């Protein structure tokens, strides 16, 4: 385009170097864990600082232990159940609410909109919500993890914004053909809104994949059979109870590979996300853009 | 338009008739709205009713309707207790320092990225910057713990600069820097999206005109780029200021421990500890209500300012 001066060339070089360094900072913590998870366990416990290449002979012993452990496998399955169930529930309710709020000439629309929006700025708080979940008989069941928090006002607003951009003529044409709202939603709005639906599905799914808190308070009796992966991860890594969780595997292996358990468990929970995020990140960017138009 | 005329007539029609017609025409929309509204009523509005616990000496056997009312006792107990000032101080300090240090980075990152000519390099860098956003809080805190244990990376770096106090994670003076620093790491890329798109929206002709006028790269940044994204910056800043009393507990309670309560315990984490760990339900609800009300007021003020300065507001 334009000729670059020496100053600009120097700037470009430093800028590139700076951005490359920054990229390394984003990656290195995960890389460290990945390399740690396949290192020689004795060397891992003795090491300090960053692990850039596997220490000693690479081993999959840590993964073998983690993947043979039924607590970890169960919580993996649980997380999948929770993600699918709460995403489906959230998405269905989200689509209904967004569709209603995107329609014009609705007498009670402002009341509905208010009831939705108000949940964004005020809530009952931790204990009153806990009491409601308790009174619904959901404590110590999967429902307590799936249902509360499955629907968020912010996502409704995002979807409503996107629905409102569908040309009104499409609705008019359908109405002339005698289609009711349910048919219009199913046959017209949903098929042309695949992009925003993908965005919302990902928002709900990733939120649930990474969630641990509701499970930690609603599973009052700490029934491990219902734990999601993140909660098991927390017990192993942060509360250092790898003994009680993993020890039932054969004892000797646990002793040898104990330093690797933390790293391997982290990797097992992070790998699926690392594999898919480059492909889905564009949907998140879309979501942010829609949100910025009408926050 | 014909519609306008018919609407003008409708104003004459009584409200009752209007509602009747609306219900007849839009009944299916109201049926649809029923499901999400029922959800919000059960999980958001019924708990709001449960806030009366804050004014009771709540007993889980007697329930909300049977428990004794004690007025403002729980609030007074909190304001007079030793935790109030510590919680308030930590909440404000974490969110203000957080704002001060974490707000500029996404802007600088977006500006640097904007100067990159190679499209491929730009795309890859941007994608890498989103990576931490997709990692769960549990994993982030796990890695942080690993880096901050006695022989961890960050502890080693601190030791290199003459800090010999041992594992950073259990030391109160390190809690807030670590908390804010890891937040920056996790959210920098994601928070830069909005600035990158604001930068992309600047009219390229402005730059061409500036070059013809003899403006260098630096002057272009100063007179075109920055003013171009100034409104985005102001709006986001005000919205962030509206959240100033709102520090979430999820990451705090994963990170802190009794040895770091002094600098780590914020209002929301105290609400959690009192309510869930100690099962002191009324006291916890009272503290939570105090926090929510203050939040609400601050948000309201921030929003009013935002609406005055720009067109952007939450409602």
């Amino acid at each position: 385009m334009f000729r670059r001066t020496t100053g600009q060339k120097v700037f470009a070089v430093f800028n590139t170097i700076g951005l490359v360094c920054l990229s390394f900072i984003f990656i290195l913590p995960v890389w460290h864990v990945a390399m740690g998870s396949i290192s020689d366990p004795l060397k891992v416990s003795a090491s300090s600082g960053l692990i850039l290449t596997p220490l000693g002979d690479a081993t999959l012993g840590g993964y073998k232990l983690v993947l043979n452990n039924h607590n970890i496998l169960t919580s993996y399955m649980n997380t999948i159940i929770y993600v699918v169930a709460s995403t489906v529930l959230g998405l269905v309710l989200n689509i209904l609410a967004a569709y209603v709020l995107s329609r014009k000439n609705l007498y009670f629309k402002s009341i509905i909109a208010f009831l939705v929006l108000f949940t964004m700025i005020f809530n009952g708080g931790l204990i009153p919500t806990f009491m409601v979940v308790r009174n619904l008989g959901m404590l110590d069941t999967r429902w307590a993890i799936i249902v509360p928090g499955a629907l968020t006002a912010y996502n409704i607003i995002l979807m409503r914004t996107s629905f409102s951009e569908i040309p009104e003529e499409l609705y008019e044409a359908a109405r002339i053909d005698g289609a009711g709202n349910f048919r219009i939603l199913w046959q017209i709005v949903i098929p042309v809104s695949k992009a925003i639906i993908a965005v919302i599905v990902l928002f709900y799914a990733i939120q649930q994949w990474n969630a641990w808190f509701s499970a930690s308070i609603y599973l009052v009796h700490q029934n491990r059979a219902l734990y999601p992966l993140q909660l098991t991860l927390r017990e192993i890594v942060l509360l250092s109870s790898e003994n009680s969780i993993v020890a039932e595997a054969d004892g000797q292996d646990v002793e040898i590979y104990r330093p690797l358990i933390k790293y391997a468990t982290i990797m097992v929970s992070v790998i699926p996300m690392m594999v898919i995020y480059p492909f889905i990140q564009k949907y998140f960017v879309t979501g942010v853009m829609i949100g910025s138009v009408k926050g | 338009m014909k519609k306008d005329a018919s609407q003008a007539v409708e104003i004459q029609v009584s409200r009752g008739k209007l509602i009747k017609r609306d219900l007849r025409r839009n009944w299916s929309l109201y049926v649809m709205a029923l499901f999400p509204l029922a959800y919000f009523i059960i999980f958001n509005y019924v708990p709001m009713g449960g806030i009366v616990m804050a004014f009771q000496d709540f007993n889980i056997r007697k329930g909300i309707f049977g428990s004794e009312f004690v007025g403002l006792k729980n609030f007074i107990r909190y304001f007079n207790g030793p935790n109030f000032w510590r919680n308030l101080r930590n909440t404000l300090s974490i969110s203000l320092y957080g704002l001060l240090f974490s707000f500029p980075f996404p802007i600088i990152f977006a500006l640097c990225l904007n100067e990159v000519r190679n499209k491929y390099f730009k795309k890859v860098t941007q994608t890498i910057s989103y990576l931490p956003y997709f990692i769960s809080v549990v994993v982030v805190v796990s890695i942080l713990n690993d880096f901050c244990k006695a022989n961890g990376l960050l502890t080693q770096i601190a030791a290199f600069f003459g800090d010999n106090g041992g594992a950073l994670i259990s030391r109160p003076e390190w809690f807030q820097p670590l908390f804010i620093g890891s937040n920056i790491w996790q959210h920098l890329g994601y928070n830069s999206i909005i600035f990158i798109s604001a930068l992309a929206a600047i009219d390229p002709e402005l730059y061409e005109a500036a070059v013809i006028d003899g403006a260098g790269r630096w002057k272009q940044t100063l007179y075109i780029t920055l003013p171009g994204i100034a409104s985005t910056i102001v709006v986001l800043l005000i919205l962030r200021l509206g959240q100033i009393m709102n520090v979430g507990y999820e990451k705090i309670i994963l990170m802190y421990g009794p040895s770091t309560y002094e600098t780590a315990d914020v209002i929301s984490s105290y609400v959690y500890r009192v309510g869930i760990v100690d099962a002191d339900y009324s006291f916890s609800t009272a503290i939570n209500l105090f926090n929510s009300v203050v939040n609400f007021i601050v948000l309201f003020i921030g929003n009013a300012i935002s609406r005055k300065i720009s067109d952007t507001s939450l409602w």
Side-chain angles (χ1 to χ4, degrees), chain A residues 32 115 147 181 230 238 263 277, chain B residues 28 39 45 127 136 145-146:
Chain A
H32 164 86
L115 285 173
V147 183
N181 279 307
Q230 300 296 332
L238 293 174
Y263 290 139
Y277 104 85
Chain B
S28 52
Y39 180 92
Y45 289 96
T127 304
S136 75
N145 263 300
D146 189 57

Side-chain angles (χ1 to χ4, degrees), chain B residues 209-285:
Chain B
V211 170
I212 291 166
D213 287 348
R217 208 66 205 162
W218 175 242
K219 284 205 162 156
Q220 290 175 37
T221 306
L222 209 60
Y223 294 113
I224 298 172
T225 314
L226 284 178
I229 59 171
S231 64
T232 310
I233 294 177
V234 170
V235 169
L236 285 178
L237 195 60
I238 291 166
L239 291 181
R240 282 282 300 273
L241 277 169
Q243 300 287 324
I244 212 79
M245 282 287 283
N246 193 3
V247 176
Y249 48 75
E250 283 209 20
K251 191 172 168 195
I252 301 257
I253 62 182
L254 287 171
M255 258 182 87
Y256 76 177
S259 68
T260 47
Y261 282 168
E262 187 53 36
T263 54
D265 199 18
V266 294
I267 301 176
S268 65
S269 60
Y270 189 61
V271 167
Y272 165 79
R273 218 163 54 250
V274 168
I276 301 292
V277 183
D278 303 342
D280 192 346
Y281 298 127
S282 283
F283 191 41
S284 172
T285 307

Side-chain angles (χ1 to χ4, degrees), chain B residues 63-242:
Chain B
I64 283 189
F65 298 104
S67 294
E68 191 193 340
F69 275 88
V70 293
L72 296 175
K73 195 185 114 190
N74 294 309
F75 295 89
I76 294 166
R77 184 179 145 207
Y78 182 53
F79 296 140
N80 288 334
N83 285 298
F84 172 61
W85 287 107
R86 188 172 84 176
N87 293 160
L88 190 65
R89 191 190 66 217
N90 290 336
T91 304
L92 285 175
S93 126
I94 285 179
S95 55
L96 285 173
Y97 280 126
L99 191 61
L100 185 67
F101 290 107
S102 71
F103 196 75
F105 282 104
I107 302 173
I108 297 168
F109 179 64
L111 287 173
C112 289
L113 214 55
N114 197 43
E115 298 298 321
V116 172
R117 300 285 175 89
N118 183 329
K119 260 191 178 156
Y120 185 72
F121 177 69
K122 197 170 174 175
K123 189 89 210 131
V124 171
T125 311
Q126 212 178 336
T127 304
I128 289 174
S129 76
Y130 303 147
L131 180 146
Y133 179 82
F134 290 90
I135 295 174
S136 75
V137 198
V138 178
V139 169
V140 170
V141 177
S142 302
I143 299 177
L144 196 64
N145 263 300
D146 189 57
F147 280 175
C148 297
K149 64 188 182 194
N151 60 348
L153 175 69
L154 292 176
T155 310
Q156 296 284 316
I157 293 175
F160 178 79
F161 288 104
D163 174 302
N164 288 313
L168 302 185
I169 199 72
S170 47
R171 287 162 56 194
E173 70 271 29
W174 280 98
F175 183 87
Q176 293 190 8
L178 290 172
F179 183 85
I180 293 165
S182 55
N183 269 351
I184 295 175
W185 178 77
Q186 191 169 18
H187 298 294
L188 198 163
Y190 192 74
N191 288 343
S192 71
I193 294 176
I194 195 156
F195 297 112
I196 291 171
S197 72
L199 286 173
I202 296 175
D203 189 351
E205 280 181 20
L206 287 175
Y207 289 108
E208 285 165 27
V211 170
I212 291 166
D213 287 348
R217 208 66 205 162
W218 175 242
K219 284 205 162 156
Q220 290 175 37
T221 306
L222 209 60
Y223 294 113
I224 298 172
T225 314
L226 284 178
I229 59 171
S231 64
T232 310
I233 294 177
V234 170
V235 169
L236 285 178
L237 195 60
I238 291 166
L239 291 181
R240 282 282 300 273
L241 277 169

